[in-house]
Amino acid sequence: MKLPVPEYIQKISPYVPGKPIEELEREYGISDSIKLASNENPLGPSPKALEALKTTLGSLNRYPDGSGFHLVRTIADTLKIPGEAIVLGNGSDDIIALLAKVFLAPGDEAILPTPSFLMYEISVRACGGAPVFVPLKSLSIDLEAMLDAVTSRTRMLFLCNPNNPTGAVIHRERFAEFLERLPTEMIVVIDEAYIEFVRDPDCLQGLAFVDSSPPVVVLRTFSKLYGLAGLRVGYGVMAPALAGFIHRVRQPFNVNTVAQAAAAAALSDAEFVEKTLDLVHKGLDDLYDALDRMGFKYFPTQSNFFMIDVERSADEVFEAMLRQGVIVRSMRSYGFPSYIRINAGLPGENRRFISALASVCNRSQAAPQGK
Ligand SMILES: *Cc1c(COP(=O)(O)O)cnc(C)c1O
């Protein structure tokens, strides 16, 4: 049957998410498995968010506040920016799609780093836009090559900082110089889904550039640091004039009542944020130590996840680890056929990952000879 689906939609490959734990356990008939595949917060949701969420349940017969008044105010106060600069989304995925919808007409070009987050390409294609891919250089976004990719049809450029899946960051000074060399009639999107985990003091923080020319849009999310991936809340920070266009095309109730209340509470939960950052940073350092002892190479990260070279088929390692109840991500589809990506988990989860990896790859967990 021939369906009336535009050619550009037919070209989209579906997004493949990390396997949900329940699905894996059903398929493999196991229990007690752990998931380190989707960069989620291993501590669970912020306890303050859970409290706030409960207070909204009695009003679920009403539509949400479509302006997200309280959450917008909380974000604005926390980041010291005007509320008019904030657009809430059903996850930052929602904002990515809305940006493409507003700024791309069919045939317009969007420059994307590759490999990077797959939602940029999907959203660009969904509007009939033409993705222009710029490969990473030494696993970092190649700003120079991105400049070379600019044409008269370029309308958008996406940066992911830190980049998923490599964990590399862009430096502030390098970015400032890059921005000056771009044409002004386009927009630059900086996806900061993991910015709170960064330890490098020279890392670019996009908020300082929102009023630049070309305009910069910064994306943030409650899915990672704040432990609310299941609720779906993200936001974009941009010049109010741009925000006005996004408000015209977004669904009027794109962030639900429960999510708005939980996100506002999570943002104010300093204790949970600190606990998460300590856990992630210590977990990464422990994982690096263990991998060093086993002789594995990996890319140190500025995020809560990183890539490990398993020196064999990553798909096979993924499968073998699954059978031990450890869910990781194979990086084959990202162009790294011998790499897996994991996020830092709880200390026990990290230890379980290390023993599963040692057994799957026949490595000893003791220090190699001569080290
Ligand atoms: C996880 C992630 C997001 C967040 O998406 P949400 O829709 O907010 O859950 C955005 N960008 C990148 C690069 C991510 O890895």
Side-chain angles (χ1 to χ4, degrees), residues 151-173:
T151 73
S152 60
R153 293 224 70 172
T154 305
R155 294 292 172 270
M156 299 181 82
L157 184 147
F158 284 85
L159 300 172
C160 188
N161 189 49
N163 188 45
N164 181 0
T166 57
V169 293
I170 298 166
H171 284 164
R172 187 186 313 112
E173 304 213 334

Side-chain angles (χ1 to χ4, degrees), residues 15-19 35-39 117-118 164-165 306-308 314-315 318 326-334 336 339-343 353:
Y15 181 79
V16 183
K19 234 178 213 303
K35 182 182 179 194
L36 301 175
S38 297
N39 311 336
F117 192 46
L118 297 171
N164 181 0
F306 65 111
M307 285 170 38
I308 304 165
D315 281 358
F318 163 76
V326 178
I327 315 178
V328 304
R329 196 70 88 94
S330 163
M331 289 288 103
R332 187 182 57 80
S333 59
Y334 288 77
F336 297 102
Y339 282 79
I340 58 169
R341 190 195 68 198
I342 61 159
N343 61 269
F353 162 77

Side-chain angles (χ1 to χ4, degrees), residues 91-93 117 120 160 164 191 193-194 221 223-224 232:
S92 47
D93 287 354
F117 192 46
Y120 313 142
C160 188
N164 181 0
D191 183 350
Y194 303 96
T221 182
S223 296
K224 309 289 158 54
R232 316 300 306 126

Side-chain angles (χ1 to χ4, degrees), residues 71-263:
L71 177 55
V72 166
R73 180 61 68 79
T74 310
I75 296 170
D77 290 349
T78 308
L79 301 181
K80 303 191 172 48
I81 55 173
E84 300 73 50
I86 298 165
V87 179
L88 303 178
N90 183 33
S92 47
D93 287 354
D94 187 21
I95 309 284
I96 295 170
L98 289 167
L99 288 165
K101 203 171 188 174
V102 165
F103 294 106
L104 296 179
D108 285 345
E109 292 172 5
I111 299 177
L112 316 179
T114 185
S116 187
F117 192 46
L118 297 171
M119 289 313 298
Y120 313 142
E121 175 184 352
I122 292 176
S123 296
V124 167
R125 288 198 194 278
C127 306
V132 176
F133 296 103
V134 175
L136 302 184
K137 186 172 166 189
S138 314
L139 301 163
S140 298
I141 292 180
D142 187 349
L143 295 179
E144 207 54 44
M146 284 192 144
L147 284 171
D148 291 341
V150 171
T151 73
S152 60
R153 293 224 70 172
T154 305
R155 294 292 172 270
M156 299 181 82
L157 184 147
F158 284 85
L159 300 172
C160 188
N161 189 49
N163 188 45
N164 181 0
T166 57
V169 293
I170 298 166
H171 284 164
R172 187 186 313 112
E173 304 213 334
R174 190 64 202 80
F175 176 77
E177 175 204 345
F178 163 79
L179 196 64
E180 285 198 349
R181 291 164 65 195
L182 284 174
T184 51
E185 53 295 345
M186 60 178 288
I187 68 155
V188 176
V189 180
I190 309 178
D191 183 350
E192 296 190 339
Y194 303 96
I195 197 76
E196 301 94 342
F197 296 103
V198 170
R199 291 190 269 186
D200 178 348
D202 297 324
C203 175
L204 161 68
Q205 301 276 338
L207 291 180
F209 293 90
V210 164
D211 295 320
S212 308
S213 173
V216 168
V217 175
V218 174
L219 304 180
R220 298 273 183 99
T221 182
F222 287 91
S223 296
K224 309 289 158 54
L225 175 65
Y226 297 98
L228 296 176
L231 269 187
R232 316 300 306 126
V233 198
Y235 58 96
V237 181
M238 63 200 87
L242 299 189
F245 287 106
I246 307 284
H247 285 305
R248 291 191 207 182
V249 300
R250 71 173 173 90
Q251 289 186 30
F253 306 110
N254 61 338
V255 182
N256 69 67
T257 305
V258 179
Q260 288 186 30

